[in-house]
Amino acid sequence: MTDTILQMRDITKTFPGVKALENVSLDVRRGEIHAICGENGAGKSTLMKVLSGVYPHGTYDGQILLDGQEVSFSRINDSEEKGIVIIHQELALVPHLSVAENMYLGNERRGTLGLIDWHQTNADAAELMRRVGLREQPVTQIGHLGVGKQQLVEIAKALSKDVRLLILDEPTAALNDRDSEHLLGLLRQLNEQGVTCIMISHKLNEIAEIADRTTIIRDGHTVETLDMSDPASTQDRIIRGMVGRDLEHRYPERTPQIGEELFRVEGWTVDHPTQSGRRIVEDASLTVRAGEVVGIAGLMGAGRTELAMSIFGRTWGRYVSGKTYLRGEEVRMRSVSDAIEAGVAYATEDRKRYGLNLIDDVRHNTTAAALSRISRAGWVNGLEELKVANQYREDLNTRTPSVLTPVGKLSGGNQQKVVLAKWLMTEPEVLILDEPTRGIDVGAKFEIYTIINRMVGEGKGVLVISSELPELLGVCDRIYTLASGRITGELPTQEATQERLMALMTMEKETAR
């Protein structure tokens, strides 16, 4: 039997006005973990959608061979019948159904008279959940699980389909370090059990840790496939292949020019919006000076996003107490419009749900938060709107055929640039960035760091929330740590290390008080 389970030969896929893939080839060996790397928009996800039948046979050129035999898939069910299962970055789970119901949706366990056998369904689900290390009950509602556990449900669902080739698109993008490590360990176990894996990821450290081989795609073309056991297959070489140039530094150089205090939060306290008496943020105080990048580090559940959203127009939780000051003057931000008027902007961690209107175009998304700047007597100046949107497209190097392109068609990194353009157009004094580089590639990250540097170079202040400690250490001047909703420490970056930050981030609640 051939050593190669999958061959994709000269795959070309064209969308109106865009050639997403051109003569891309990929070989995957049986029993390996094969990583695919590339910048956002390089064509990685498109290639996997061709393989899985999301883009059916006939809509692309080229060949797909499975076990040496040519195959053609007209829908996802066709590829799943052959043991190919794809888990997309945006999880395809129904939040109001149970774990077992989600796992067997469309593949129901039926008993007599064609009725669903719920006892067998729950029993089979429990066994698969045990295999992936999920200790919930099969009847638990999906909406009650965190993102990490939902990923495990997706993998268990794939196992229910007798998966031979498992494709994971950015499986750890939304996970904390602990959940990511558990997921990678599970992939190793599945690999040992004979499941071949293809993993798309921007986290080069994870690729170096788990992948047997790595294929690099750039601008819709195959660059090369690296054997990760080769000492020459370094992260720097992967980056060079992805972006077409050397990145001598992951973070652009900046000489801080820090001025007077620009923004201050004092004694900020917020309760859960629906659970009476549950305090999420307690007595949090922080400052941001002009020309300064300040970081907030904390584990998932520490209250980072809740702190940011509650400050920005009280868009989360029940405000209890606290004051905010801009240039020494108290500002009351009771709504988003109050915050924008005061000079504060917030780019959410969930750009697809809260940051963008995916079915609208780049132009309208860019101007959505600052329509008053291009309006007269309540009427939007359409020509001015086009001019402004195109200007931000050029300034931020947003890769899109046109500002009239729907945002949902852009890659993650370019969507993030549209989010930044939207808030930069409000001309904020303080910009709060919540996970600004989540799910985007190393080249796009560098560009976003450059935008941050440009802002603080103009005397603005930037507050960065990130789960990646190297990122905070690379871009920030000072870093606050948050645990159990309370500020537990503040370190200048020169004195901070990942170990010191983690020690402060994991302080028990009693100690944090």
Side-chain angles (χ1 to χ4, degrees):
M1 184 178 288
T2 178
D3 183 51
T4 301
I5 186 173
L6 172 71
Q7 295 171 289
M8 302 184 76
R9 289 282 171 264
D10 300 320
I11 302 296
T12 299
K13 173 65 179 174
T14 303
F15 298 101
V18 179
K19 184 167 282 189
L21 299 171
E22 186 170 8
N23 298 322
V24 171
S25 295
L26 173 71
D27 289 344
V28 179
R29 295 171 182 167
R30 194 179 314 280
E32 74 173 345
I33 296 178
H34 194 114
I36 298 180
C37 286
E39 290 190 273
N40 287 102
K44 308 179 299 295
S45 296
T46 301
L47 184 65
M48 293 301 98
K49 288 178 180 178
V50 166
L51 170 59
S52 62
V54 173
Y55 297 139
H57 181 73
T59 65
Y60 61 87
D61 296 322
Q63 284 183 308
I64 300 174
L65 290 87
L66 191 66
D67 295 324
Q69 300 295 316
E70 185 171 358
V71 292
S72 58
F73 304 132
S74 299
R75 53 186 185 144
I76 292 179
N77 285 358
D78 294 343
S79 62
E80 289 183 347
E81 287 175 3
K82 296 289 187 179
I84 300 173
V85 180
I86 182 169
I87 299 176
H88 298 280
Q89 184 175 356
E90 305 298 326
L91 301 181
L93 297 172
V94 183
H96 299 298
L97 295 182
S98 71
V99 171
E101 287 171 326
N102 270 277
M103 285 172 56
Y104 290 102
L105 188 62
N107 185 31
E108 288 80 5
R109 294 293 188 258
R110 299 189 181 275
T112 56
L113 303 177
L115 299 176
I116 295 175
D117 186 337
W118 289 112
H119 177 77
Q120 190 63 49
T121 297
N122 289 325
D124 290 348
E127 173 58 24
L128 291 171
M129 291 166 68
R130 184 194 62 77
R131 285 185 63 186
V132 301
L134 189 58
R135 294 183 175 86
E136 307 296 324
Q137 294 297 318
V139 294
T140 301
Q141 200 174 93
I142 283 289
H144 294 162
L145 301 181
V147 177
K149 291 181 178 179
Q150 290 187 24
Q151 281 278 16
L152 297 181
V153 172
E154 282 277 26
I155 294 175
K157 183 177 179 179
L159 294 178
S160 75
K161 299 173 182 177
D162 297 323
V163 60
R164 299 169 55 218
L165 179 60
L166 179 63
I167 306 164
L168 301 105
D169 191 351
E170 295 290 349
T172 63
L175 304 186
N176 60 29
D177 290 342
R178 185 178 304 170
D179 286 342
S180 295
E181 187 56 42
H182 177 72
L183 182 60
L184 295 179
L186 176 59
L187 292 186
R188 292 189 193 94
Q189 292 177 26
L190 294 176
N191 191 239
E192 291 169 359
Q193 295 167 14
V195 177
T196 303
C197 296
I198 298 176
M199 184 173 80
I200 298 172
S201 180
H202 293 126
K203 296 186 178 181
L204 302 186
N205 59 322
E206 292 182 356
I207 287 173
E209 177 184 346
I210 197 171
D212 297 302
R213 292 191 304 151
T214 299
T215 294
I216 303 169
I217 298 176
R218 182 173 73 239
D219 297 330
H221 295 80
T222 308
V223 176
E224 63 178 334
T225 295
L226 303 175
D227 184 337
M228 299 307 291
S229 65
D230 185 341
S233 299
T234 62
Q235 291 189 33
D236 286 341
R237 179 168 174 179
I238 294 174
I239 291 170
R240 186 166 61 249
M242 287 170 59
V243 302
R245 64 188 187 279
D246 287 317
L247 285 182
E248 295 182 5
H249 304 285
R250 301 283 180 91
Y251 308 98
E253 293 185 3
R254 172 172 63 91
T255 301
Q257 301 291 331
I258 298 174
E260 300 295 319
E261 178 184 286
L262 176 63
F263 184 61
R264 182 166 85 253
V265 177
E266 281 187 357
W268 200 257
T269 301
V270 179
D271 282 349
H272 193 279
T274 60
Q275 299 176 18
S276 179
R278 183 183 171 193
R279 190 136 295 175
I280 303 300
V281 178
E282 187 167 4
D283 197 30
S285 298
L286 58 85
T287 61
V288 180
R289 289 174 286 181
E292 185 179 36
V293 183
V294 176
I296 297 181
L299 298 175
M300 191 173 293
R304 299 168 305 171
T305 294
E306 292 83 354
L307 171 63
M309 290 182 69
S310 60
I311 290 172
F312 181 67
R314 302 183 188 177
T315 52
W316 189 93
R318 291 191 298 113
Y319 168 80
V320 177
S321 62
K323 294 182 179 181
T324 53
Y325 299 84
L326 191 66
R327 300 193 184 277
E329 298 289 330
E330 184 178 356
V331 290
R332 299 177 184 273
M333 297 182 287
R334 296 189 176 92
S335 66
V336 170
S337 57
D338 285 348
I340 294 173
E341 184 68 25
V344 178
Y346 168 68
T348 173
E349 65 173 338
D350 191 344
R351 58 180 173 262
K352 292 191 176 183
R353 182 179 299 181
Y354 300 120
L356 298 168
N357 180 352
L358 296 178
I359 62 174
D360 208 345
D361 58 35
V362 172
R363 168 194 52 181
H364 289 151
N365 274 277
T366 299
T367 60
L371 286 174
S372 61
R373 299 181 185 274
I374 53 170
S375 301
R376 297 291 183 275
W379 293 91
V380 174
N381 184 327
L383 292 177
E384 183 68 16
E385 186 176 35
L386 273 173
K387 178 182 175 182
V388 168
N390 274 307
Q391 186 62 56
Y392 277 106
R393 173 194 174 192
E394 293 177 11
D395 288 349
L396 303 187
N397 192 28
T398 306
R399 298 176 186 176
T400 174
S402 162
V403 295
L404 303 181
T405 301
V407 170
K409 292 186 177 295
L410 303 187
S411 67
N414 288 305
Q415 287 180 357
Q416 188 70 2
K417 290 179 184 178
V418 177
V419 173
L420 289 175
K422 178 177 75 171
W423 291 114
L424 290 175
M425 189 177 167
T426 67
E427 299 181 358
E429 293 290 308
V430 178
L431 176 61
I432 304 172
L433 299 174
D434 196 349
E435 301 286 3
T437 64
R438 172 176 286 171
I440 65 176
D441 63 79
V442 66
K445 284 183 179 183
F446 190 91
E447 292 178 327
I448 287 175
Y449 301 146
T450 302
I451 294 166
I452 293 172
N453 287 356
R454 189 189 311 167
M455 275 202 71
V456 295
E458 296 170 355
K460 312 297 186 183
V462 177
L463 190 64
V464 177
I465 299 169
S466 178
S467 298
E468 298 185 27
L469 296 184
E471 178 171 77
L472 293 177
L473 292 168
V475 302
C476 297
D477 301 300
R478 281 186 300 129
I479 301 172
Y480 288 96
T481 55
L482 196 67
S484 302
R486 295 181 66 90
I487 300 290
T488 56
E490 173 191 356
L491 291 171
T493 303
Q494 310 91 280
E495 301 175 14
T497 63
Q498 292 191 55
E499 292 76 17
R500 290 190 70 181
L501 292 173
M502 186 59 70
L504 291 167
M505 290 159 53
T506 54
M507 291 177 67
E508 295 294 332
K509 186 169 184 178
E510 291 74 15
T511 309
R513 290 179 185 278

